[in-house]
Amino acid sequence: MGNLLLPLVTLVQVSGQVPSAGVQVLSAKTGKLSCLFPGDEGTVRAEMDGALKRIATQCCKPNIPGAEACVRIVGTACISGQPPGITKRTFGEAVAACAEIGVQAEGLPYTLCNQTCTGRGCLYDQHPLYSSIP
């Protein structure tokens, strides 16, 4: 399965497209918040707690289970900045950022997470989160 990760990351980096099955945008508080589908490639905000907020990027290390896979901080910097200055990224840009961060840190691309990573820092629990969950 690890061999399938890099082609998917490369494809999304080049195309910037949301997968045909779509992907969930998560709330760390409640789980699924909304979904992105093909055609939503320019979306950078989602409604949460009655407000339209930027979607934060959090990354996960491959092949590591649970919250230990979650990466929100690299060095001393939050991947998506900190509220109110959450970095503006599309889904494709978020995938590319995670891949680059992982390659630089460990020689393997990180992915978008398939979990909320609640309580893992940077106040991202207050923002919608990109995910890899269809």
Side-chain angles (χ1 to χ4, degrees), residues 30-56:
T30 62
K32 182 180 173 185
L33 189 60
S34 63
C35 290
L36 297 177
F37 293 100
D40 292 334
E41 285 77 15
T43 299
V44 296
R45 296 178 185 268
E47 189 172 330
M48 183 174 164
D49 298 331
L52 200 57
K53 297 182 177 185
R54 282 199 178 151
I55 306 170

Side-chain angles (χ1 to χ4, degrees), residues 15-30:
S15 70
Q17 293 184 356
V18 174
S20 59
V23 291
Q24 292 182 29
V25 175
L26 303 176
S27 161
K29 300 173 189 175
T30 62

